[in-house]
Amino acid sequence: MTADLQDLHAFLAVVRAGGFRDGARAHGVSASGLSEAVRRLETRLGIRLLHRTTRSIAPTEAGARLAERLAPALGEVEAALDVVNIFRDRPAGTLRLNVPASVARLVLPSIATPFLKRYPDIRLEVIVEDRFVDVLAAGCDAGIRYDERLEQDMIAIPIGPRTQRAATAASPAYLAARGRPEHPRDLLAHACLRGQFASGAIPAWEFERDGQIVRIDPAGPLLVRLGAAVDLAVSAAVQGLGIIHLFEDWLRPHLDSGALVPVLQPWWQEFSGPFLYYPGRRHLPAPLRAFVDFIRSVPEDPSCDSSR
């Protein structure tokens, strides 16, 4: 009994995404096309693979077993097909990266375009997720994360700025009305614009000066999902709603224009930049190998150092 590889890929895409719509969005096809492919596969195998309701899609026991075996098997098929890339003049194929919003906003813009211009036969797919994910299970070739969130047993190489800072800022109008905090603990008496992870956790604001670390949990009128709605918080800060604490590079245009004013600058904490991480396979897919080589060949740009 045989099944079309595209139908198997379609089924796995639906399982990974938890639905036809998200699976279609991730793979650049139509939801109806994925649905038809799964129905075709179920007909060939003679067994239901997905439980379908109006609200959710979940694999049956048989579907879960099939997905578990398919992921590594299809990975091996792709790796086998990729071998022919060594006979091409230049690498080709699709590179799928899983990155947080901060990387998509602050790191990739200076990398993606020159990389794709150098390798015009490579197609780059960027999946933005701020939650911690298994990049292989998510159908990605590699991920970009900060060191405290790297997966174990992965190869990691630096990408982008090697030093970044968390900046605190407010509009001139806000500071004129509420006063300027002189110590991080003063923020407890101010309106602070906070962020929340997808898990529901609200990270504390952390500051450092002369080896002293201060963590605070201030209150405020606005709470946004980190990544997806950060620009809403930035806009609110510019409009004078409260104080914001975010990547310096994210706030830099507003700091340079004067729309936002630095607050507690001697306390801004530095941290190491992100890493590209990927499984330690003996034979990397050609698009990933090209990207790794490209990243390693890019000299560190001093202007990317946020400690200025």
Side-chain angles (χ1 to χ4, degrees), residues 170-173 237-240 253-261:
S171 72
V238 169
Q239 295 177 64
H254 303 290
L255 293 169
D256 290 343
S257 71
L260 292 176
V261 177

Side-chain angles (χ1 to χ4, degrees), residues 170-253:
S171 72
Y174 176 88
L175 295 176
R178 298 288 299 270
R180 177 183 292 271
E182 300 298 333
H183 189 278
R185 294 190 185 91
D186 294 343
L187 293 173
L188 296 173
H190 281 266
C192 294
L193 312 177
R194 303 294 302 277
Q196 182 181 42
F197 289 124
S199 65
I202 302 175
W205 287 6
E206 192 166 297
F207 300 86
E208 185 173 3
R209 185 178 186 181
D210 299 330
Q212 179 188 5
I213 296 177
V214 177
R215 296 180 181 88
I216 63 167
D217 189 23
L222 180 64
L223 177 68
V224 301
R225 177 66 58 84
L226 286 171
V230 167
D231 282 333
L232 173 61
V234 174
S235 176
V238 169
Q239 295 177 64
L241 184 63
I243 296 177
I244 192 167
H245 183 74
L246 191 63
F247 286 89
E248 179 183 1
D249 290 337
W250 206 311
L251 299 180
R252 177 50 56 191

Side-chain angles (χ1 to χ4, degrees), residues 79-308:
L81 293 174
D82 189 66
V83 167
V84 302
N85 257 317
I86 65 175
F87 298 100
R88 297 175 57 93
D89 293 332
R90 54 194 184 190
T94 299
L95 171 63
R96 298 181 182 89
L97 297 180
N98 190 290
V99 309
S102 59
V103 167
R105 176 70 178 269
L106 305 176
V107 177
L108 285 183
S110 64
I111 294 174
T113 297
F115 169 72
L116 292 172
K117 284 184 176 179
R118 181 179 296 184
Y119 299 103
D121 294 331
I122 291 178
R123 177 173 181 259
L124 178 62
E125 292 184 9
V126 179
I127 295 89
V128 178
E129 289 185 287
D130 283 274
R131 64 187 180 91
F132 184 74
V133 298
D134 180 333
V135 292
L136 295 183
C140 297
D141 300 294
I144 301 177
R145 290 293 187 277
Y146 288 84
D147 54 3
E148 72 274 12
R149 304 198 74 190
L150 292 180
E151 293 187 43
Q152 299 298 315
D153 302 322
M154 290 279 183
I155 295 174
I157 62 172
I159 183 172
R162 296 323 315 136
T163 302
Q164 294 181 279
R165 287 198 299 183
T168 311
S171 72
Y174 176 88
L175 295 176
R178 298 288 299 270
R180 177 183 292 271
E182 300 298 333
H183 189 278
R185 294 190 185 91
D186 294 343
L187 293 173
L188 296 173
H190 281 266
C192 294
L193 312 177
R194 303 294 302 277
Q196 182 181 42
F197 289 124
S199 65
I202 302 175
W205 287 6
E206 192 166 297
F207 300 86
E208 185 173 3
R209 185 178 186 181
D210 299 330
Q212 179 188 5
I213 296 177
V214 177
R215 296 180 181 88
I216 63 167
D217 189 23
L222 180 64
L223 177 68
V224 301
R225 177 66 58 84
L226 286 171
V230 167
D231 282 333
L232 173 61
V234 174
S235 176
V238 169
Q239 295 177 64
L241 184 63
I243 296 177
I244 192 167
H245 183 74
L246 191 63
F247 286 89
E248 179 183 1
D249 290 337
W250 206 311
L251 299 180
R252 177 50 56 191
H254 303 290
L255 293 169
D256 290 343
S257 71
L260 292 176
V261 177
V263 171
L264 298 170
Q265 193 165 5
W267 288 89
W268 289 4
Q269 188 179 53
E270 291 187 354
F271 51 91
S272 62
F275 291 82
L276 173 74
Y277 69 100
Y278 53 92
R281 296 172 178 166
R282 185 175 180 181
H283 299 291
L284 292 181
L288 177 56
R289 169 51 63 192
F291 190 67
V292 169
D293 292 342
F294 179 82
I295 294 304
R296 286 177 167 158
S297 71
V298 174
E300 184 176 336
D301 184 355
S303 66
C304 290
D305 190 337
S306 298
S307 61
R308 56 189 170 183

